[in-house]
Amino acid sequence: MNSLAHSLDSSGALIDLNHVQKSYDGKTLIIKDLNLSIAQGEFLTLLGASGSGKTTTLMMLAGFETPTRGEIRMMGKPIQNVPAHRRGMGMVFQNYALFPHMTVAENLAYPLKMRGLNRIEVQSKVKRAIEMVQLHDMQQRRPTELSGGQQQRVALARAMVFEPQVILMDEPLGALDKNLREHMQYEIKQLHRRLGVTVVYVTHDQGEALTMSDRVAVFHQGDIAQIGDPVSLYEHPENAYVATFIGENNVLRGSLVARHGHEVEVALDAGFEARGMGVTMPIGASKKVELLIRPENIRLSPINQNSYQATLADRVYLGDHLRIHLKLDNDDTLIVKTANDEAIKGLNNGQRIGFSWRPEDARVFAQG
Amino acid sequence: MTEARFEYGFIKVGFTMSVSSIDAPACVDTLAVAHYQSSRRKRWVSMLLLLPLLAYTCVFFALPIGMMFYRAVSNPELLQAFPTAIRTMVDEPAKDSTALPTDRVFDALEQDFINAPSNAVIGEAARRLNYENSGYRFLVMNTARTYRTPLANPESQSARERLAAIDERWISPQVWEDFRRASPAYTPYYLLAALDLKQTDQGVAPVEESQRVYLDLTFKTLKIALIVSLLCLLLGFPFAALMVKASPALQVLLFLAVMLPFWTSLLARTTAWIVVLQDKGIVNTLLLRFGLIDHPLPMIFNLSGVYIVMVHILLPFSVLPLYNVMKNIPPHFMRASASLGAHPIRGFMQVYLPLTLTGIGSGTLLTFIVAAGYYVTPTLVGSAREQMLGYFIAFYTNTTVNWGMASALGLVLISCVMVIYLLAARLVGIRQIAGLR
């Protein structure tokens, strides 16, 4: 990584996207106004639902799409007009895109040959890459003779073998089953740590985003809804979209009653007043807000003066925990995630039950 | 038990297996038998479904081809006309090839002429004998005619003298040598002739230079087929690639364009080409008008006309297999190639082209095979010099009714195509050519 010193320019960012817009038809913007800095060596995940613009962003980074407006800089130099094959970024595709007419070794040698390396260099680098992903016996196999996980490893090795500064990954684990996916998440993370390479990773799987990333950019309708490290995204979402998109959240509608610093009091439509942390406040005369509380932050209790009340509607047994469905007085459902203990087992459906939460666990947003 | 097994064995295979398996201790066998029995009904149904096609193929494809093989070597004409003469000749062979046959052969020949079942049989024999040397037709027909009227000099001593009186050639050793060669029930004559070879006393030898036509004809046929299939590939490859990338509406349009020749009557299509390409046709008129040429370019009723029209008609055979293969190449392969640092041209050469090889192979082969058998189009838009094997097969079948020669040329055509098919199967793989992979 001789370019490490290179890239530490004034901004400290390896790649900058400035006011990038993208439209495919000249009418609607897929990317509205994207500003994003990617630091050297970080693992950045672009997370979002399909159509949110995350893949388009990745394709613009790779050079397969050009921005309609705005610029993309790499180490300070604009690259939006540099063709894909001269950007020097490694890429792992959703379906691996391993060349079926070449062996594993030939697939790995391909980018090296394109760079005009001599045979000895090619051989030694291919050998190292194969060792890196532990596929010693598979060198002479065709991709179709490999399992999904092995193909995935070859695709990773191929994207890394020419030592690119940046590796782009487009939902690389989407085709794998759950166990293998978790294993590969770990392997990719290990490789990232070991090689210090910059990774831009696209996924719609929030679990994947949270476990692997240094930073996550949550895409929503062509904008970044929030960007930050996994903990702040999960625990301090800046808007209701991020709060509900990442993890699970109960959304309770109501109106603002009073503010005490960061803490606010909300009269919920369900018929009780509750407290939470105000994040965005209603503008003007409107007092409409949403209070979001995660299922694992609600505590069940006997009915007392500190608790709210609801009817126990249903219980779903999930082994290590239970999901309780509470019916509020306006017929809204509140999901509670609770440990599987004796006290809960004694309850019956239809019974009234008390619950509460700490105000700092609930987040209040202006209704949008 | 053994007996019962035997008895049923001829009737029903399934039953044989089930009885014999009772002796077998291994439970694997019982499982195999149970599987066999349980799927028997399904097997019968699938066989029944296959039966009509199988029968059709046998009767209308395998049988005619087999008959063609037979016709290429079968040689019944002389045997039918002169059965006793030929039998006697085999029983009493001449001392050497230059000697005349014995008197008994002449007697038998005379009897054959007198007892000839019909004029047609003699005519067939005359035609067959005429292939050996032109002039023999007159010899045979004249002799037959003479024997139908009262003999001119019945006082002559022997059949040999009577025959010699009709035509001197009956006592020429050359005639009898040719007669002997033309008489067996099976002959390599047609096959050799199709390869410009003939039987002589010394064995197989090439025919006189002036009569060598079929080898040249075969090479010309293969050359035209090869050039047509290469032109189809050259035009079809970018077209198929465009079809894959085009929007659905454009795709339909392109598809119609390539299928159009299939949906037009052969004559209408060919006439249209004549209108377009003739000396005073659209193309020449335009070129003259713009001063690009001084004289009309001869574009039809010559080789270029054959190429233009055949390429037009055969393009779908190249385009469709190519399209089929290209459609299944995911676009991310070329993206992957670019992301790995390959210039689009190198990516095309190293990734895209190799993946289309099966389409190139099967499309070109299909075009080649169809082109090699073409007959109507070259007849209509070519001159006499552009006629292909197919034309001569039709000529021998329809005009001269020489089934032996038509079949032999057909065999040459089939063999050439088979050799090329096997070469291609060896190079590209038979499953790829069949489009199974």
Side-chain angles (χ1 to χ4, degrees):
Chain A
M1 293 291 138
N2 56 347
S3 45
L4 191 66
H6 235 326
S7 62
L8 291 175
D9 60 358
S10 54
S11 74
L14 178 65
I15 299 173
D16 278 301
L17 290 95
N18 298 324
H19 301 289
V20 168
Q21 296 186 328
K22 177 69 188 175
S23 170
Y24 284 109
D25 54 5
K27 292 176 210 147
T28 49
L29 286 172
I30 299 296
I31 300 292
K32 284 171 184 158
D33 182 27
L34 187 65
N35 292 289
L36 180 62
S37 282
I38 302 166
Q40 170 77 45
E42 80 167 324
F43 195 120
L44 173 71
T45 296
L46 313 183
L47 174 69
S50 64
S52 60
K54 60 187 192 304
T55 304
T56 305
T57 305
L58 194 77
M59 291 300 150
M60 287 194 288
L61 283 174
F64 301 136
E65 301 288 354
T66 41
T68 311
R69 288 213 190 91
E71 65 168 11
I72 302 173
R73 285 174 176 271
M74 185 164 170
M75 294 187 287
K77 290 190 209 90
I79 58 163
Q80 69 265 28
N81 293 321
V82 175
H85 66 275
R86 284 177 33 214
R87 291 200 184 183
M89 298 182 185
M91 180 142 182
V92 181
F93 291 82
Q94 200 166 4
N95 298 311
Y96 320 135
L98 297 175
F99 304 137
H101 58 297
M102 298 182 190
T103 62
V104 167
E106 284 166 347
N107 263 288
L108 294 181
Y110 188 84
L112 303 172
K113 282 182 186 157
M114 292 304 136
R115 283 167 174 74
L117 269 64
N118 67 41
R119 217 160 52 85
I120 296 159
E121 286 175 300
V122 169
Q123 274 176 356
S124 74
K125 289 198 177 202
V126 166
K127 190 159 168 273
R128 245 185 296 154
I130 281 178
E131 277 164 11
M132 181 178 75
V133 292
Q134 298 157 17
L135 287 170
H136 315 273
D137 312 331
M138 309 289 170
Q139 283 198 55
Q140 297 313 317
R141 301 259 186 105
R142 294 285 165 107
T144 45
E145 296 165 324
L146 303 181
S147 70
Q150 289 168 338
Q151 289 186 37
Q152 174 60 68
R153 289 212 199 104
V154 177
L156 269 176
R158 190 179 66 173
M160 293 179 173
V161 68
F162 58 100
E163 292 162 30
Q165 275 187 290
V166 184
I167 295 179
L168 310 173
M169 300 194 187
D170 183 12
E171 309 217 13
L173 306 180
L176 302 180
D177 63 46
K178 188 168 164 287
N179 282 340
L180 198 52
R181 196 157 62 219
E182 277 166 13
H183 179 72
M184 286 308 296
Q185 285 174 9
Y186 178 75
E187 277 196 29
I188 291 175
K189 194 65 201 158
Q190 286 294 311
L191 279 173
H192 170 246
R193 283 211 190 98
R194 197 136 44 97
L195 302 175
V197 66
T198 311
V199 175
V200 182
Y201 190 102
V202 161
T203 183
H204 64 269
D205 181 332
Q206 44 157 312
E208 212 164 279
L210 295 182
T211 50
M212 298 173 81
S213 318
D214 296 327
R215 282 198 302 160
V216 179
V218 181
F219 275 70
H220 180 50
Q221 295 176 348
D223 274 325
I224 294 181
Q226 187 175 348
I227 182 163
D229 62 283
V231 175
S232 64
L233 278 181
Y234 191 83
E235 293 180 6
H236 306 289
E238 286 167 5
N239 49 58
Y241 178 76
V242 174
T244 48
F245 186 75
I246 295 185
E248 203 180 359
N249 247 320
N250 290 295
V251 181
L252 299 171
R253 287 165 188 272
S255 50
L256 193 64
V257 174
R259 303 175 61 159
H260 315 283
H262 283 304
E263 211 173 298
V264 295
E265 218 172 302
V266 180
L268 295 171
D269 297 353
F272 59 91
E273 284 195 6
R275 285 174 178 245
M277 308 304 289
V279 183
T280 56
M281 285 299 109
I283 303 160
S286 166
K287 297 201 166 214
K288 295 273 175 208
V289 290
E290 286 172 335
L291 182 143
L292 278 72
I293 178 77
R294 293 198 185 273
E296 70 268 26
N297 288 336
I298 301 175
R299 281 189 301 267
L300 298 176
S301 64
I303 299 169
N304 58 38
Q305 73 274 22
N306 293 326
S307 72
Y308 318 121
Q309 286 188 27
T311 309
L312 178 63
D314 200 4
R315 286 176 298 183
V316 180
Y317 179 72
L318 289 160
D320 60 337
H321 71 273
L322 283 175
R323 281 169 71 84
I324 312 281
H325 293 232
L326 296 181
K327 183 162 271 182
L328 300 177
D329 293 343
N330 66 342
D331 273 359
D332 276 358
T333 300
L334 192 69
I335 308 284
V336 181
K337 195 169 149 185
T338 177
N340 186 11
D341 60 24
E342 293 302 318
I344 304 293
K345 282 183 183 163
L347 297 173
N348 296 318
N349 286 357
Q351 194 174 335
R352 295 290 281 179
I353 187 168
F355 64 93
S356 62
W357 60 70
R358 299 187 309 163
E360 56 267 39
D361 287 334
R363 299 180 72 79
V364 179
F365 301 96
Q367 237 177 73
Chain B
M1 173 148 285
T2 321
E3 259 187 40
R5 196 191 306 162
F6 239 97
E7 221 172 68
Y8 285 111
F10 289 108
I11 303 164
K12 222 181 225 175
V13 181
F15 198 77
T16 317
M17 285 196 69
S18 71
V19 175
S20 63
S21 72
I22 293 169
D23 314 287
C27 66
V28 179
D29 280 1
T30 25
L31 178 65
V33 170
H35 169 73
Y36 184 88
Q37 286 183 333
S38 65
S39 58
R40 185 161 49 188
R41 196 186 145 79
K42 213 194 257 174
R43 223 170 16 246
W44 274 109
V45 170
S46 52
M47 246 137 85
L48 274 174
L49 288 173
L50 205 61
L51 208 59
L53 180 66
L54 207 65
Y56 183 89
T57 313
C58 282
V59 173
F60 294 107
F61 184 73
L63 196 65
I65 293 219
M67 275 162 70
M68 195 184 85
F69 276 56
Y70 177 75
R71 291 276 190 158
V73 293
S74 108
N75 190 37
E77 292 91 348
L78 289 193
L79 262 179
Q80 277 166 8
F82 312 117
T84 41
I86 291 170
R87 206 177 316 125
T88 317
M89 210 154 61
V90 173
D91 290 344
E92 300 177 13
K95 287 169 204 76
D96 60 277
S97 63
T98 55
L100 284 175
T102 58
D103 283 343
R104 281 170 51 85
V105 174
F106 282 100
D107 290 341
L109 182 66
E110 187 173 51
Q111 286 309 305
D112 283 337
F113 269 118
I114 293 166
N115 302 331
S118 75
N119 225 12
V121 171
I122 294 291
E124 287 283 293
R127 191 170 54 76
R128 172 64 187 89
L129 211 52
N130 204 47
Y131 296 154
E132 298 292 331
N133 199 339
S134 54
Y136 287 167
R137 183 196 296 271
F138 176 77
L139 170 67
V140 174
M141 294 310 284
N142 189 39
T143 309
R145 201 180 312 121
T146 314
Y147 272 109
R148 270 203 301 280
T149 56
L151 282 180
N153 43 357
E155 66 280 1
S156 285
Q157 291 307 301
S158 64
R160 179 203 292 243
E161 280 163 31
R162 283 191 289 273
L163 279 164
I166 293 165
D167 197 316
E168 289 244 304
R169 280 182 288 180
W170 282 119
I171 50 171
S172 133
Q174 180 63 45
V175 169
W176 283 101
E177 194 195 323
D178 291 338
F179 189 94
R180 211 174 292 127
R181 195 182 301 130
S183 60
Y186 299 99
T187 176
Y189 168 80
Y190 299 112
L191 287 174
L192 290 174
L195 299 171
D196 287 344
L197 296 172
K198 65 173 182 185
Q199 272 180 307
T200 63
D201 305 339
Q202 286 81 37
V204 176
V207 298
E208 293 80 43
E209 210 152 318
S210 60
Q211 289 177 12
R212 287 177 204 165
V213 281
Y214 298 120
L215 277 185
D216 274 355
L217 180 69
T218 307
F219 287 132
K220 192 165 67 190
T221 305
L222 297 181
K223 193 186 88 183
I224 291 180
L226 183 72
I227 291 180
V228 165
S229 39
L230 290 182
L231 285 175
C232 280
L233 173 66
L234 223 58
L235 291 174
F237 193 95
F239 192 89
L242 184 66
M243 265 170 85
V244 171
K245 289 205 166 178
S247 64
L250 185 60
Q251 209 169 10
V252 170
L253 201 72
L254 294 173
F255 200 78
L256 287 179
V258 81
M259 293 304 289
L260 204 61
F262 268 7
W263 298 334
T264 325
S265 124
L266 181 94
L267 286 176
R269 189 170 59 201
T270 312
T271 318
W273 274 115
I274 294 173
V275 169
V276 171
L277 296 178
Q278 63 185 317
D279 281 0
K280 287 182 179 156
I282 299 164
V283 175
N284 270 321
T285 313
L286 283 177
L287 289 176
L288 284 169
R289 178 86 46 85
F290 292 117
L292 293 170
I293 49 171
D294 297 328
H295 308 286
L297 290 175
M299 284 184 290
I300 198 125
F301 306 124
N302 57 19
L303 199 57
S304 61
V306 172
Y307 285 143
I308 291 172
V309 179
M310 280 182 76
V311 164
H312 178 226
I313 295 166
L314 295 176
L315 208 51
F317 290 103
S318 281
V319 169
L320 297 182
L322 276 171
Y323 171 75
N324 196 32
V325 167
M326 288 176 177
K327 195 182 55 184
N328 291 318
I329 300 176
H332 60 234
F333 279 148
M334 284 307 282
R335 289 188 161 180
S337 165
S339 82
L340 297 170
H343 188 274
I345 293 175
R346 282 190 82 177
F348 175 82
M349 297 302 288
Q350 304 227 352
V351 177
Y352 197 77
L353 201 60
L355 292 176
T356 58
L357 267 187
T358 61
I360 293 176
S362 58
T364 310
L365 188 68
L366 191 62
T367 315
F368 181 88
I369 289 172
V370 178
Y374 248 53
Y375 140 64
V376 178
T377 307
T379 312
L380 292 175
V381 299
S383 72
R385 293 175 49 209
E386 280 81 47
Q387 299 315 321
M388 299 165 68
L389 263 178
Y391 172 83
F392 283 87
I393 294 173
F395 170 78
Y396 281 120
T397 314
N398 300 330
T399 312
T400 67
V401 202
N402 184 348
W403 285 92
M405 207 57 223
S407 301
L409 288 177
L411 268 184
V412 168
L413 188 57
I414 286 190
S415 319
C416 288
V417 167
M418 283 309 288
V419 165
I420 283 157
Y421 187 88
L422 290 177
L423 275 179
R426 194 68 188 271
L427 285 176
V428 193
I430 204 149
R431 293 177 66 83
Q432 277 85 345
I433 283 176
L436 292 175
R437 219 160 82 184

